[in-house]
Amino acid sequence: MRRMMKTISHAVFKIRLIFMNNSAYISYLRKQGIKIGKGCSIRKSVYFGSEPYLISIGDNVRITQNVKFITHDGGLWTLRHMGLLPKEAAKYGRISIGDNCNIGWNTLIMPNVQIGKNCVIGEIEIGRAVQQECRDR
């Protein structure tokens, strides 16, 4: 019964999410810990990972379909299980996007990436990622 109620609750949330306008959605994301500036447009298919509090987004930023923010390195799991790293080893990193940026479809932004002001990150084919700094333009 408890599992069924949780499933129903999740389904109701998904339906509410679909009908949220951009302003309400951004308010929801801020409650999750993401720092978001003014005048932003964020598609609902964007994935903010398990540590949204490590993400900051400047003013007038547009984030398009299927963008993924990866704030930790899950690859360490393999190294821990091989005994090459301690069991508690983890790598987390902040992601920062400056003002007046456009992040294109399917972009994958990795930990410790800073995207400066006035940058346009074009849509990226699957398998490619932003792994380093993009300076102010």
Side-chain angles (χ1 to χ4, degrees), residues 12-54:
V12 169
F13 170 75
K14 288 285 196 182
I15 291 168
R16 288 182 59 207
L17 185 66
I18 289 168
F19 291 106
M20 277 185 195
N21 63 27
N22 190 60
S23 178
Y25 182 58
I26 287 175
S27 292
Y28 163 76
L29 294 174
R30 286 181 177 133
K31 289 177 186 172
Q32 302 303 307
I34 303 170
K35 293 177 184 75
I36 303 173
K38 299 175 199 157
C40 294
S41 174
I42 302 173
R43 297 301 301 230
K44 294 175 192 159
S45 62
V46 174
Y47 174 73
F48 289 101
S50 54
E51 298 86 24
Y53 53 87
L54 294 175

Side-chain angles (χ1 to χ4, degrees), residues 1-135:
M1 182 69 156
R2 178 179 252 165
R3 186 174 178 184
M4 186 169 91
M5 291 303 291
K6 188 173 181 179
T7 302
I8 291 170
S9 176
H10 185 70
V12 169
F13 170 75
K14 288 285 196 182
I15 291 168
R16 288 182 59 207
L17 185 66
I18 289 168
F19 291 106
M20 277 185 195
N21 63 27
N22 190 60
S23 178
Y25 182 58
I26 287 175
S27 292
Y28 163 76
L29 294 174
R30 286 181 177 133
K31 289 177 186 172
Q32 302 303 307
I34 303 170
K35 293 177 184 75
I36 303 173
K38 299 175 199 157
C40 294
S41 174
I42 302 173
R43 297 301 301 230
K44 294 175 192 159
S45 62
V46 174
Y47 174 73
F48 289 101
S50 54
E51 298 86 24
Y53 53 87
L54 294 175
I55 300 168
S56 64
I57 299 167
D59 295 336
N60 303 311
V61 173
R62 182 175 179 236
I63 302 175
T64 60
Q65 294 286 92
N66 303 319
V67 172
K68 292 179 176 55
F69 291 81
I70 309 299
T71 54
H72 69 278
D73 186 348
L76 296 182
W77 180 89
T78 302
L79 299 174
R80 287 193 306 262
H81 284 279
M82 292 173 63
L84 299 173
L85 290 175
K87 294 276 186 209
E88 65 279 350
K91 178 183 175 188
Y92 297 90
R94 295 191 175 281
I95 296 173
S96 173
I97 300 175
D99 297 341
N100 306 312
C101 291
N102 184 79
I103 310 299
W105 282 43
N106 299 320
T107 301
L108 179 64
I109 304 173
M110 300 301 286
N112 295 315
V113 167
Q114 288 185 305
I115 297 173
K117 295 178 182 177
N118 307 311
C119 291
V120 175
I121 307 296
E123 66 181 73
I124 296 180
E125 58 196 63
I126 294 174
R128 297 186 60 201
V130 178
Q131 299 180 38
Q132 57 192 355
E133 180 180 15
C134 177
R135 297 187 183 180

